[in-house]
Amino acid sequence: MLATCGMGFGALALRGILQADSSLVNPLAAREPHIPATAKRVIFLFMHGGPSSMDTFDYKPRLQKDSGKPLPFAKPRVQFAETGNLLGSPWEFKQYGESGQWVSSLFPQVATCMDDLCVIKSIHGSNDAHGGALLKMHTGSDTFVRPSLGSWISYGLGTENHSLPSFITLNPTMGHGGVKNFSSAFLPAIHQATRIGQKGSDMKDAAISNLHNELLTREQQRRDLDLLKEVNRMQLEQTGADSDLEARIDSFELAFRMQMEASDIMDLNQESQATRKLYGVDHEPTDNFARQCLQARRFSEAGVRFVQCTHSYWDSHRNLKKEHTSLAAEVDKPIAGLLKDLKSRGLLYDTLVIWGGEFGRTPTAQKEDGRDHNPHAFTWWMAGGGVKPGLSYGSSDDFGYYAAEDKVHVHDLHATILHLLGLDHERLTYRHGGRDFRLTDVEGEVVRALLA
């Protein structure tokens, strides 16, 4: 019976996962978490290029005082490039909210949300090159092809809406690792991201490729898919298990269902004028990233597990003040709008919003008015989804070069994100090549101090 059911169903037994599980019928079926979860979904606001911590959320008065002087301790043995003396921040910092968290004048709108943010100032990684650092942040490895964070979450939890993907990435960079940053690698291919646009795309025109068929009616498409399914079933009977082919079949079925729902979600004209204004839609310089953030809220509200918005390009090796001022102006209002919108709708309670780049920047100057890459200490923040609001956690040294207190490695960050979603990072494994793999490899500890 199993051999004739098609879709590779019988071959599932060979993988050792034949059990009473709805995922055998639908690989994206919603699954119960390992432990009680405080978050159901994630919105990842990725600042590609590496924003400067000491110019955004990690105030360093000693750096301001000693600007122009040599760094009073040794720089890392391996550096991306040479840097000179200390460079103070050109932006003014103030404390905001009841929590009194420090924010620079780069983010006046996000500053109004600080009592909702959990700011981590002691994150550190292992790679000072964009390509390796992006892979590390997205997949847990800076040297090998591994499943991305969104793919692991899709694999662990499935989707809440069978007419939409479980993982969507908006305007991703196609460099510095490219598709490897949102691929499923050796996980079933159905868990890779659905891409909408890419770096440089105008979100007014960004669309899901081949979402609509202008030549065939829906009924004709259904007949074509049924025939294709039968041909693929015959192929699987001859070849046995073929995860790529099965994922392709699943993706065709998903694409068919998406035609009805995805277009409506991507139509921002359905939003009120007040909501569009809150995000900064139809206004410059915020329009492009505002559309990403608003679509992220709409996709998340509709049941997509993981939505990533990418903003480029924060790599300010020179012209720090000019470049960071321009970049922050593009994202500040949209990010604040997203947080306030989620909160007003009661969605921030179980939606985890995370913000950050692949690394930070040096407190020492490069090319006189820029900063170089720095993976040894950088800042991220999280909001909602069960994290402590208004918390400032960990610290870097007096200048922001090295993580100093309550250090949080990238593996620890990943373990904590999974924990908030109810996934035990040591149990979320997939057997490949004769061993069990996981997002955090053989490391990572949940940072419980961040949990509400």
Side-chain angles (χ1 to χ4, degrees):
M1 183 274 289
L2 294 178
T4 58
C5 279
M7 302 292 282
F9 186 72
L12 290 171
L14 299 177
R15 302 179 213 167
I17 58 170
L18 186 57
Q19 55 185 339
D21 189 332
S22 60
S23 65
L24 299 180
V25 178
N26 179 3
L28 288 181
R31 298 169 182 79
E32 290 297 319
H34 301 139
I35 55 178
T38 54
K40 291 183 178 180
R41 63 198 74 86
V42 177
I43 297 176
F44 181 12
L45 307 174
F46 180 59
M47 304 293 108
H48 177 213
S52 171
S53 301
M54 66 283 303
D55 295 301
T56 52
F57 299 100
D58 192 11
Y59 179 44
K60 293 298 176 188
R62 177 80 184 275
L63 177 62
Q64 300 301 101
K65 177 182 177 183
D66 292 350
S67 183
K69 298 179 181 179
L71 183 73
F73 47 76
K75 296 176 183 177
R77 183 177 61 86
V78 177
Q79 302 172 61
F80 190 76
E82 291 295 323
T83 59
N85 292 335
L86 294 166
L87 175 65
S89 176
W91 292 280
E92 180 184 4
F93 275 76
K94 292 182 179 179
Q95 290 177 286
Y96 289 86
E98 294 182 6
S99 58
Q101 300 213 62
W102 291 95
V103 187
S104 84
S105 54
L106 274 176
F107 286 101
Q109 299 298 320
V110 173
T112 64
C113 304
M114 293 309 295
D115 283 341
D116 293 316
L117 304 192
C118 176
V119 184
I120 311 168
K121 300 179 179 178
S122 55
I123 297 179
H124 61 106
S126 56
N127 201 305
D128 59 5
H130 289 290
L134 258 79
L135 285 174
K136 186 76 171 185
M137 190 56 70
H138 285 87
T139 74
S141 173
D142 55 5
T143 53
F144 299 104
V145 178
R146 295 286 186 265
S148 66
L149 172 62
S151 296
W152 277 113
I153 291 171
S154 170
Y155 168 67
L157 295 175
T159 183
E160 293 183 302
N161 187 329
H162 298 308
S163 295
L164 292 171
S166 57
F167 177 15
I168 288 175
T169 182
L170 302 167
N171 274 17
T173 174
M174 302 306 287
H176 298 147
V179 297
K180 296 182 181 67
N181 290 303
F182 53 88
S183 83
S184 57
F186 48 72
L187 290 178
I190 194 66
H191 298 297
Q192 69 184 355
T194 294
R195 176 172 63 85
I196 303 176
Q198 64 185 56
K199 180 182 175 181
S201 295
D202 188 337
M203 284 302 295
K204 290 180 180 178
D205 304 319
I208 298 174
S209 299
N210 306 311
L211 183 61
H212 297 290
N213 189 327
E214 304 297 336
L215 301 177
L216 299 177
T217 66
R218 187 168 175 81
E219 291 72 22
Q220 289 171 322
Q221 291 179 62
R222 181 68 266 171
R223 289 199 298 269
D224 283 354
L225 283 176
D226 290 341
L227 175 60
L228 184 61
K229 185 188 301 183
E230 177 64 17
V231 173
N232 285 327
R233 182 191 66 79
M234 295 168 62
Q235 173 73 10
L236 289 169
E237 285 179 348
Q238 296 176 19
T239 63
D242 185 339
S243 62
D244 287 341
L245 179 56
E246 292 179 38
R248 196 172 300 121
I249 296 169
D250 291 331
S251 69
F252 287 151
E253 292 292 334
L254 175 60
F256 180 73
R257 297 191 299 271
M258 282 171 59
Q259 293 181 78
M260 299 297 292
E261 190 155 351
S263 294
D264 284 344
I265 293 175
M266 295 176 66
D267 182 8
L268 300 188
N269 290 322
Q270 297 184 14
E271 294 288 338
S272 69
Q273 196 60 38
T275 299
R276 292 162 65 91
K277 183 178 179 181
L278 176 68
Y279 282 79
V281 173
D282 296 328
H283 296 278
E284 294 300 334
T286 55
D287 182 69
N288 211 48
F289 197 67
R291 290 176 180 272
Q292 285 195 57
C293 290
L294 185 49
Q295 282 197 11
R297 191 223 82 203
R298 289 173 64 83
F299 276 120
S300 296
E301 192 173 31
V304 177
R305 287 286 184 195
F306 192 99
V307 184
Q308 178 164 334
C309 306
T310 298
H311 183 263
S312 293
Y313 186 47
W314 292 76
D315 196 28
S316 299
H317 290 277
R318 65 171 71 214
N319 297 325
L320 173 74
K321 184 174 182 179
K322 178 181 177 181
E323 291 186 0
H324 267 44
T325 296
S326 175
L327 293 162
E330 293 172 6
V331 303
D332 180 40
K333 184 179 181 68
I335 292 172
L338 173 65
L339 293 170
K340 292 173 182 178
D341 195 17
L342 288 170
K343 190 172 183 179
S344 69
R345 294 169 180 269
L347 289 171
L348 191 59
Y349 176 77
D350 56 6
T351 302
L352 178 65
V353 182
I354 53 180
W355 177 97
E358 65 268 36
F359 44 48
R361 311 207 73 82
T362 60
T364 48
Q366 184 181 38
K367 300 174 183 176
E368 297 184 358
D369 59 349
R371 301 192 190 277
D372 196 26
H373 307 170
N374 181 25
H376 305 289
F378 54 105
T379 296
W380 270 41
W381 57 253
M382 301 192 287
V387 299
K388 284 183 180 177
L391 176 68
S392 176
Y393 182 81
S395 66
S396 56
D397 60 59
D398 288 342
F399 305 98
Y401 215 132
Y402 299 97
E405 297 181 3
D406 296 322
K407 298 180 182 180
V408 178
H409 189 269
V410 171
H411 288 312
D412 303 326
L413 181 66
H414 286 162
T416 306
I417 292 170
L418 293 180
H419 180 86
L420 291 164
L421 290 159
L423 295 170
D424 183 336
H425 73 107
E426 294 183 346
R427 292 170 59 190
L428 184 65
T429 62
Y430 189 86
R431 195 156 190 83
H432 171 72
R435 59 164 273 197
D436 288 338
F437 285 86
R438 70 188 204 208
L439 174 64
T440 52
D441 197 32
V442 294
E443 303 176 70
E445 297 288 339
V446 176
V447 186
R448 299 190 178 276
L450 303 179
L451 311 181

